[in-house]
Amino acid sequence: MSQESQGDSPVEGKPDDLPSSEVTEGTERAPHRAMFRAMGYDDEDLSSPMIGVANPAADITPCNVHLDDVAESAYEGVDEAGGMPIEFGTITISDAISMGHEGMKASLISREVIADSVELVAFGERMDGLVTIGGCDKNMPGMMMAAIRADLPSVFLYGGSIMPGEHDGREITIQNVFEGVGAVADGDMSEDELDEMERNACPGAGACGGMFTANTMSSISEAIGFAPLGAASPPAEHHGRYTVARESGKLAVEAVEKGIRPSDFLSRESFENAIALQVAVGGSTNAVLHLLAMAAEAGVDLDVEDFNEISRRTPKIANLQPGGEKVMNDLHEVGGVPVVLRELLEHDLLHGDALTVTGETMAEALERDDPPRISDLDADFLHTVDDPIHERGAIRILTGNLAPEGAVIKITGEDHLHHEGPVRIFENEENAMKYVQEGRVETGDVIGIRNEGPRGGPGMREMLGVTSAVAGQGHAEDVALFTDGRFSGATRGFSIGHVAPEAAVGGPIAALEDGDTVTIDIDDLELSVDLSDEEIERRLAERDLPEPQYTSGVLAKYGRDFDSAANGAVTNPAAKRDD
């Protein structure tokens, strides 16, 4: 912010078409300017583009604990580029700390609250542009959804991921700790060893280090055009993170000057690029939900089946946690997300003409960035398209009489999976977790968890506790789980989420009874139960829909407003589909 200038005349000179002119220009806006002057802004600031810096910093999660510093660098970048930076806050929920108990119902709701709150500030304060910052999982889509709604020149800025911890001579992440809980329950790990892992898994600030939801969505921000190339991978406590933040602030001012809005660069092609990146790196299943929601907000026609189509043509070429051993910092050290994007582009698996927030096309941005080719790297966790880890991408959408609107699985192990057997159905996560922790899980089991969808939960809880306990007991690939809720980005194995329609609205999952034979076939993209349509309808007709668990407060409000997971679980009325 520049020093206070002299003179009593009203500030003039800002283009009339900028929204902030409504609160800074003309004699009648003297009271408004007086409020800004109280905060140290001067004539030069008030004649500059007003850039909001949306900051969800909080001490409730390492993902966000450092974001004040990141926001400060972005603020400085805006100021250096001749903008008027205005920082404001919003909420976050720690997915890891809310995992495994009732509090996880708040996680997906926080995506909506973040989007609502940032949109409101941008609208009410007449911002000209935005730098939206994300740390924990739901920050990323929430911030990008807000920018889409406001349709102001906007840059997304990730807070960066945590460095891996170390235990017993190997790198570990929070995923190992969750799986350690299951190993202790099964007698394969001592409580002392779990305690040692707990104390070393998270060595500092930043989001969970694997290709879990935070790193998936931050990587997608590059692929879809919301962030400049190279912005996703610098770790939270790396000097490069603050360079990216400063440059993002400058880029936001440039986007205002050039008039580049999300509606200018978000297209069907840019969303297809995002999906291609997701399936190539084995990204989180949650990105399916979030990309559908973002597309709905943007008015882009995207369907859950599009993920299958893109997965068919796009191989998996990165072996990162949770399926592999490497983390985001390993990708950063060899060139970051642009390395993968270049490989995809050179094999015609990206739309090179898709636009980005820089004003360049994706092809132009990659040519300027000039990342190394995978074939030139000594990085065994990255494969070329010609020699992939799997011929098809990691995300699959299953359908059948148990999931007419789809269900989502990420392939982290064998490429050909078929499972058939009697189901053990649970009415909520807690009952399923108790069953697993009692050591009752056996090879070949099929576990179904219902009433955890967007409306039924409400909030569509992630169930990393359950899946990690199963994996920790050695059953990641031989026990199947499915739910109308979600699984964490750190989940691996035979875990199917987002079953739609959900039980709370009378989906077929509500008709299941213990012992029904369920078939899961990954090659045929099938999730079905050995029941006739007539029997499913008969059972549903005889079943009373459960009463809402919450009748007041935020959970009741958002539980009422959530749309189907097949449509991104949006709450914005204009973004809902009338299927």
Side-chain angles (χ1 to χ4, degrees), residues 379-455:
D380 60 1
F381 65 96
L382 292 178
H383 289 223
T384 63
V385 167
D386 293 331
D387 182 27
I389 299 166
H390 294 141
E391 293 290 340
R392 294 174 60 178
I395 298 295
R396 312 288 170 82
I397 307 299
L398 312 183
T399 55
N401 68 349
L402 192 49
E405 295 179 1
V408 184
I409 186 171
K410 176 170 68 174
I411 305 302
T412 59
E414 294 298 323
D415 207 7
H416 300 281
L417 294 171
H418 180 94
H419 198 104
E420 184 174 329
V423 68
R424 178 77 171 87
I425 196 74
F426 297 92
E427 301 298 331
N428 53 50
E429 177 188 0
E430 285 80 4
N431 290 346
M433 186 65 174
K434 180 180 178 183
Y435 180 83
V436 174
Q437 287 292 79
E438 288 173 349
R440 300 167 66 182
V441 174
E442 297 180 359
T443 296
D445 277 357
V446 181
I447 296 173
I449 307 171
R450 63 189 174 200
N451 302 313
E452 294 287 0
R455 302 188 71 171

Side-chain angles (χ1 to χ4, degrees), residues 110-161:
S110 77
R111 182 191 76 178
E112 303 300 297
V113 173
I114 291 166
D116 291 350
S117 62
V118 175
E119 178 193 9
L120 279 172
V121 174
F123 174 80
E125 301 298 315
R126 314 316 282 162
M127 300 291 183
D128 300 320
L130 293 168
V131 177
T132 59
I133 304 173
C136 201
D137 293 7
K138 304 310 175 296
N139 299 176
M140 269 63 82
M143 288 294 184
M144 286 186 273
M145 288 163 65
I148 292 168
R149 290 183 196 170
D151 201 27
L152 296 173
S154 302
V155 178
F156 175 75
L157 171 60
Y158 181 39
S161 60

Side-chain angles (χ1 to χ4, degrees), residues 472-522:
Q473 294 177 21
H475 294 295
E477 304 297 339
D478 61 33
V479 168
L481 300 95
F482 65 90
T483 180
D484 53 7
R486 294 182 295 128
F487 290 121
S488 166
T491 291
R492 61 187 178 94
F494 217 167
S495 302
I496 302 162
H498 309 200
V499 173
E502 62 176 294
V505 298
I509 191 173
L512 289 179
E513 297 175 357
D514 285 348
D516 289 339
T517 300
V518 169
T519 297
I520 303 165
D521 195 300
I522 305 305

Side-chain angles (χ1 to χ4, degrees), residues 7 20 53 78 82 179 199 240 252 265 267 305 315 417 471 509 524 534:
S20 64
V53 180
V78 172
E179 293 186 3
R199 296 174 187 276
F265 62 81
S267 62
E305 278 295 330
L417 294 171
I509 191 173
D524 291 341
E534 292 76 16

Side-chain angles (χ1 to χ4, degrees), residues 62-101:
C63 308
N64 293 52
V65 72
H66 64 302
L67 292 188
D68 278 337
D69 294 333
V70 174
E72 182 179 1
S73 291
Y75 190 105
E76 292 169 354
V78 172
D79 194 39
E80 290 169 8
M84 177 180 173
I86 298 181
E87 184 180 350
F88 62 94
T90 186
I91 70 158
T92 191
I93 298 290
S94 169
D95 276 25
I97 295 174
S98 64
M99 194 77 67
H101 55 82

